[in-house]
Amino acid sequence: MAFEGLAERLQGTLNKIRGKGKVSEADVKEMMREVRLALLEADVNFKVVKEFIAKVKERAIGQEVLQSLTPGQQVIKVVNEELTALMGGEQSKIAVSTKPPTVVMMVGLQGAGKTTTTGKLANYLRKKQNRQPLMVAADIYRPAAIKQLETLGKQLDMPVFSMGDKVSPVEIAKNAMDKAKEDHHDYVLIDTAGRLHVDEDLMKELEEIKELTKPDEILLVVDAMTGQDAVNVAESFNERLGITGVVLTKLDGDTRGGAALSVKAVTDTPIKFAGMGEKVDALEPFHPERMASRILGMGDVLTLIEKAQSSVDEEKAKELERKMRTNDLTFDDFLEQLNQVKSMGPLDELLNMMPGAGKMKGLKNVQVDDKQLGHIEAIVQSMTKAEKQDPSLLNASRRRRIAKGSGTSVQEVNRLIKQFGEMKKMMKQMSGMQKGKGKKKKGGFNLPFM
Amino acid sequence: MSFFKKLKEKITHQTDSVTEKFKDGLTKTRDSFVGKVNDLVKNYRKVDEEFFEELEDILISADVGVHTVMELIDELKDEARTRNISDAVDIQPVISEKLAELLQKSEEETKLNMQEDGLTVILFVGVNGVGKTTTIGKMAHKFKEDGKNVLLAAGDTFRAGAIEQLEVWGERVGVDVIKQHAGSDPAAVMFDAIQSAKSRNADILLCDTAGRLQNKVNLMKELEKVKKVITREIPDAPHEVLLVLDATTGQNAMSQAKTFGQATDVSGIVLTKLDGTAKGGIVLAIRHELDIPVKYVGLGEGMDDLQEFQADQYVHGLFADVLEKAEEAAGE
């Protein structure tokens, strides 16, 4: 990760005030400086930062420290609460018109990802809401933009309305509306040309399309990596068109995405979706409360917990826990666990969501290769039933056979067996600790200072 | 004002059209950034702690980046102390000077490494949507105008419509595009392209690649492979690896430059969409923290709005107004 999170930033200050009953003004001032820098490094607009800091300062000074929290935790709690409030609490949904079709206009700068997002949104509407959207190729300026949408349409097996690049976008929009009504589409998604927000002619064109199609939703597509200028972009599009929502793209990168906060602050419209990858199904509803902790660099803990909860089978987890305690973990269980982790999504994504992952030395530069999981799987599957149950059976000749059978090397097999042994040992220790504490913590993740 | 005089002299031997392009393209940056500095000087008169805080905000708002700004401010404070400057008006040239220093580390390296005879291969890399294909189109146009024999390689086999986009540019400019079907191995496309370039005696081969976020390990590995294939065919190629950056990008540009740099030995940066943003301060941060030279800047949407980056021109473009005022004052 490129920047240290707020958690690490605050460490120094926090060490000093640990154990104090009250947070003094000087302490808060020092911490606020760190908060300010963290937000600025995350590309939150400096004006937004200023207002935000003033607000937090007011709330944080002189507060009694709650018994359950250290002063540092207290400040982070306030920062996180205020940030979440600023991001807008609730998740919001895409508009549905009472008189179909619902018209959605996609607008934004060049390269923000409008065309890709149009395809993803169409897919989302069909898959999650059982709709029949019509995509409209109204970007006649960028070379092959129409072709791009058409290709996406073919991939998705969904209709795309286009009239080539010789007809004006306004005309295309008009005809598309007729076509949508004729074919009973319930959504019309208009992909417009990317433009600089200072481009007068193209802005006028957007206004005309808006006038004509009366869209229920005008979504501003914003690149999550945008810097300080995000504010100006959002402001000018909002002034001219009155946007109703935002789609944040390329959020699967390693940007903190402070632009989200800036855009939200100046437009006061909700961020509705987030683009999370290059595939057509990589569009997710936006969770404002989670974005707050990402900007602060606290890891997307909530998402991780939720993912773990939804994909780990309760029953199996219980059984595994019993086995861990009694220490008769087998390779079968190991494989089972591996598959559960795998079903949560790409490993490096999971790692990024973990708070403090950037702080752990070993994890900082870890590059998780999902293919390696495949190797491990192959090795385990090449074992006989007896071997899976009892690793001590694995002598040199068996190991050679397994390496051959799984298409790996003896070294890899050895490494896995060794790791498995270590894991067993570790689990024994862990289960011992848990017994000592009495209760197992929910989720099992320890937040820094929380 | 000797600094401005020197700057003026440096650029006078260059054509007016280039100077104008920079001046026009940087209008937004100049208005917002330099305008703000001017207002600051007017409002404060005295150089004090508050003055510097305000200046800090202005620099940060231009995406210069927190680290670079902090260092710059510290240097300015030192400078003000040693030169005994207390009037805000007097510190203004020092600010310009410092910024210019950051940009003008060395002059030669902004030139592209072109082969005198034989093929020059330029590889373009970057995240999604920064304008790689468009930049290639514009650059092809430029080289074609110079009478070079240019060939394009459609290495973005992933994004829908990317190959077609490059083909449209090829037609516009009048150069051939070497391509395979969508979804094919980009390294194979490069291999083909190099063979064709050799047999056609092309002067320049411009290689497009698919946009990728720098934290996708496998995609970065694919890029390494693409580069390796090129090097295998021509040992000293690619002669340039240009990282295309969107000027509206914030601090993530640093991470992009670092990671792409590690994967492909980026030799220079093309900063696009500079005309649309009031910022572009990220140029300073990159120069300061990473030392990868900016070689080209996109100053508009027209075919010939891609310009060789010239630090002097850039600084002149930024401070054109201040400069004119200084001249007036000198003339009086």
Side-chain angles (χ1 to χ4, degrees):
Chain A
M1 224 175 275
F3 304 110
E4 33 181 4
L6 181 63
E8 287 108 273
R9 283 196 155 279
L10 285 176
Q11 200 73 62
T13 324
L14 290 179
N15 285 342
K16 263 190 280 173
I17 58 166
R18 179 160 294 156
K20 278 190 191 175
K22 233 180 203 174
V23 186
S24 77
E25 195 170 340
D27 297 333
V28 171
K29 206 172 168 192
E30 201 169 323
M31 279 192 271
M32 283 310 120
R33 196 184 142 72
E34 295 298 327
V35 174
R36 174 171 171 265
L37 288 179
L39 292 173
L40 285 174
E41 278 191 340
D43 288 325
V44 181
N45 184 267
F46 77 104
K47 276 188 209 143
V48 179
V49 172
K50 229 177 205 168
E51 281 165 33
F52 178 77
I53 295 288
K55 216 188 226 165
V56 174
K57 220 185 214 165
E58 208 173 290
R59 261 193 70 186
I61 292 176
Q63 246 190 9
E64 288 281 340
V65 175
L66 293 175
Q67 276 211 323
S68 55
L69 298 176
T70 67
Q73 290 171 333
Q74 181 96 358
V75 170
I76 291 198
K77 188 170 159 268
V78 173
V79 170
N80 200 28
E81 274 171 15
E82 285 294 328
L83 209 53
T84 310
L86 198 61
M87 286 299 325
E90 289 291 291
Q91 196 186 321
S92 68
K93 296 204 168 64
I94 191 161
V96 188
S97 170
T98 46
K99 227 177 78 200
T102 308
V103 181
V104 182
M105 232 172 115
M106 315 291 287
V107 301
L109 299 184
Q110 287 128 328
K114 282 174 302 301
T115 308
T116 306
T117 306
T118 305
K120 284 178 179 176
L121 187 59
N123 181 51
Y124 179 90
L125 286 169
R126 179 177 63 180
K127 243 173 126 179
K128 303 276 154 123
Q129 303 188 2
N130 222 355
R131 307 278 183 185
Q132 263 97 47
L134 176 69
M135 292 182 268
V136 183
D139 178 359
I140 59 166
Y141 305 100
R142 182 167 59 102
I146 295 175
K147 178 80 193 168
Q148 186 184 354
L149 196 64
E150 282 173 350
T151 308
L152 279 168
K154 228 177 269 166
Q155 272 173 26
L156 293 165
D157 194 20
M158 289 171 90
V160 172
F161 183 85
S162 65
M163 297 172 74
D165 57 6
K166 301 285 180 287
V167 185
S168 89
V170 182
E171 193 69 21
I172 295 175
K174 197 166 138 197
N175 284 301
M177 292 301 289
D178 294 340
K179 170 86 176 154
K181 275 174 201 149
E182 210 179 286
D183 292 357
H184 301 289
H185 285 286
D186 43 16
Y187 269 91
V188 178
L189 311 180
I190 306 172
D191 177 29
T192 66
R195 62 207 68 218
L196 297 173
H197 51 292
V198 286
D199 192 324
E200 187 55 29
D201 291 345
L202 282 169
M203 275 301 196
K204 269 209 187 105
E205 182 189 291
L206 281 183
E207 282 175 332
E208 277 172 47
I209 297 178
K210 181 188 171 185
E211 193 56 40
L212 187 93
T213 59
K214 303 264 180 312
D216 305 276
E217 191 90 82
I218 299 178
L219 295 178
L220 177 66
V221 182
V222 181
D223 184 333
M225 297 183 282
T226 313
Q228 296 282 327
D229 219 19
V231 163
N232 302 332
V233 173
E235 231 163 28
S236 46
F237 273 101
N238 197 30
E239 262 167 33
R240 294 297 289 265
L241 300 165
I243 60 169
T244 60
V246 175
V247 181
L248 211 57
T249 59
K250 306 176 205 172
L251 209 53
D252 51 328
D254 62 0
T255 176
R256 287 232 189 281
L261 201 62
S262 310
V263 169
K264 177 75 181 69
V266 294
T267 61
D268 201 31
T269 51
I271 297 171
K272 300 202 167 180
F273 291 97
M276 297 299 293
E278 305 206 15
K279 303 217 173 77
V280 283
D281 58 354
L283 185 76
E284 294 177 8
F286 182 77
H287 298 279
E289 70 285 358
R290 294 175 192 172
M291 195 62 205
S293 58
R294 172 170 179 155
I295 291 173
L296 288 175
M298 309 241 308
D300 203 343
V301 190
L302 281 167
T303 307
L304 183 64
I305 291 174
E306 201 173 83
K307 275 201 170 167
Q309 273 171 350
S310 67
S311 36
V312 176
D313 191 320
E314 276 297 309
E315 282 298 304
K316 281 183 187 159
K318 258 189 201 150
E319 173 63 13
L320 191 69
E321 214 186 308
R322 188 194 62 76
K323 282 190 169 164
M324 263 158 63
R325 266 205 302 276
T326 50
N327 201 20
D328 42 64
L329 194 73
T330 67
F331 268 113
D332 276 324
D333 304 321
F334 182 71
L335 203 59
E336 184 71 37
Q337 214 189 9
L338 202 68
N339 282 330
Q340 287 197 343
V341 172
K342 245 166 80 179
S343 65
M344 279 191 244
L347 264 188
D348 43 356
E349 229 172 75
L350 283 176
L351 271 182
N352 279 339
M353 283 182 213
M354 270 203 294
K359 203 168 60 175
M360 276 186 256
K361 262 211 182 111
L363 277 179
K364 203 163 193 175
N365 295 313
V366 89
Q367 297 189 337
V368 185
D369 185 357
D370 284 317
K371 261 193 204 140
Q372 244 177 2
L373 291 184
H375 287 191
I376 293 175
E377 217 177 325
I379 292 173
V380 176
Q381 278 164 349
S382 300
M383 295 177 183
T384 65
K385 236 180 182 168
E387 284 165 350
K388 281 187 211 163
Q389 298 291 335
D390 183 7
S392 65
L393 284 176
L394 292 163
N395 58 24
S397 117
R398 282 175 191 258
R399 287 179 195 205
R400 262 201 305 277
R401 191 205 76 237
I402 291 167
K404 233 181 190 171
S406 57
T408 56
S409 63
V410 177
Q411 284 89 333
E412 268 180 275
V413 176
N414 283 339
R415 206 179 312 139
L416 177 67
I417 294 170
K418 200 173 154 206
Q419 275 169 355
F420 180 71
E422 269 163 18
M423 189 173 126
K424 259 174 107 168
K425 227 189 280 166
M426 206 172 77
M427 284 187 165
K428 203 176 167 195
Q429 281 170 349
M430 261 166 57
S431 62
M433 265 159 51
Q434 273 167 9
K435 249 187 241 162
K437 268 189 180 169
K439 246 195 233 160
K440 193 180 171 243
K441 258 199 217 152
K442 207 175 152 196
F445 300 108
N446 273 320
L447 309 184
F449 338 104
M450 282 214 154
Chain B
M1 290 283 162
S2 65
F3 163 70
F4 284 119
K5 253 192 201 147
K6 260 188 261 162
L7 186 65
K8 187 81 184 167
E9 267 164 29
K10 266 189 195 162
I11 62 166
T12 39
H13 66 268
Q14 280 165 352
T15 53
D16 283 345
S17 73
V18 174
T19 309
E20 277 310 304
K21 277 238 162 67
F22 270 90
K23 222 179 133 184
D24 286 350
L26 290 168
T27 307
K28 279 206 81 193
T29 313
R30 184 171 59 245
D31 287 353
S32 75
F33 175 65
V34 182
K36 274 187 207 153
V37 174
N38 285 343
D39 286 348
L40 178 70
V41 170
K42 251 183 246 147
N43 290 341
Y44 273 89
R45 290 176 193 282
K46 280 261 165 291
V47 179
D48 53 15
E49 204 44 44
E50 257 178 77
F51 173 88
F52 281 119
E53 243 170 62
E54 194 82 5
L55 182 62
E56 195 179 296
D57 279 347
I58 294 174
L59 289 168
I60 282 173
S61 74
D63 280 326
V64 175
V66 179
H67 290 293
T68 309
V69 171
M70 296 296 165
E71 272 176 49
L72 202 64
I73 296 281
D74 282 344
E75 274 175 38
L76 280 173
K77 279 182 184 166
D78 279 349
E79 207 61 41
R81 215 173 298 128
T82 49
R83 290 201 210 172
N84 217 355
I85 296 172
S86 61
D87 283 353
V89 186
D90 296 331
I91 195 109
Q92 194 177 14
V94 185
I95 298 172
S96 321
E97 226 171 288
K98 282 272 169 230
L99 291 174
E101 249 173 53
L102 269 181
L103 285 166
Q104 289 167 309
K105 272 193 180 160
S106 84
E107 302 194 355
E108 281 308 297
E109 61 187 15
T110 60
K111 285 259 174 288
L112 289 179
N113 170 24
M114 303 298 281
Q115 301 309 105
E116 292 275 311
D117 38 35
L119 179 65
T120 303
V121 182
I122 305 180
L123 181 67
F124 291 80
V125 300
V127 300
N128 318 63
V130 286
K132 280 180 295 303
T133 309
T134 309
T135 302
I136 290 175
K138 288 180 183 175
M139 226 177 238
H141 170 69
K142 208 177 186 65
F143 289 134
K144 184 94 196 297
E145 297 269 279
D146 292 347
K148 299 274 196 239
N149 185 359
V150 186
L151 201 61
L152 309 182
D156 184 354
T157 55
F158 181 81
R159 203 201 72 206
I163 298 174
E164 288 83 353
Q165 190 180 347
L166 195 67
E167 280 185 307
V168 173
W169 272 108
E171 269 164 43
R172 258 189 216 175
V173 179
V175 301
D176 285 338
V177 179
I178 304 299
K179 54 157 188 173
Q180 290 183 8
H181 55 86
S184 57
D185 180 5
V189 178
M190 293 308 160
F191 181 84
D192 272 7
I194 289 179
Q195 302 313 323
S196 316
K198 277 180 180 166
S199 66
R200 296 177 193 202
N201 277 329
D203 300 315
I204 298 164
L205 174 66
L206 303 176
C207 306
D208 197 9
T209 61
R212 63 203 74 214
L213 295 175
Q214 71 275 18
N215 60 339
K216 310 275 177 195
V217 177
N218 288 340
L219 292 179
M220 293 308 282
K221 285 218 176 105
E222 179 193 270
L223 202 57
E224 281 174 37
K225 184 179 159 198
V226 166
K227 194 188 162 211
K228 222 185 278 165
V229 166
I230 296 174
T231 313
R232 206 175 57 207
E233 293 310 305
I234 303 174
D236 56 341
H239 305 94
E240 288 279 351
V241 179
L242 296 180
L243 172 68
V244 184
L245 281 181
D246 183 334
T248 41
T249 308
Q251 299 308 301
N252 195 250
M254 273 330 246
S255 160
Q256 291 171 26
K258 255 184 227 162
T259 321
F260 276 100
Q262 276 161 11
T264 57
D265 291 320
V266 171
S267 58
I269 286 169
V270 180
L271 198 67
T272 59
K273 310 182 202 175
L274 200 59
D275 53 324
T277 170
K279 318 300 179 192
I282 198 70
V283 179
L284 290 169
I286 288 169
R287 284 304 264 149
H288 183 61
E289 288 176 41
L290 290 176
D291 214 27
I292 302 175
V294 176
K295 297 203 170 175
Y296 275 84
V297 284
L299 296 168
E301 295 186 54
M303 270 231 240
D304 43 40
D305 284 333
L306 185 74
Q307 286 291 331
E308 255 176 67
F309 180 77
Q310 292 161 7
D312 296 330
Q313 289 286 7
Y314 189 85
V315 176
H316 177 259
L318 275 183
F319 298 104
D321 300 342
V322 184
L323 196 62
E324 272 153 31
K325 249 182 250 158
E327 266 174 12
E328 272 170 36
E332 271 167 18

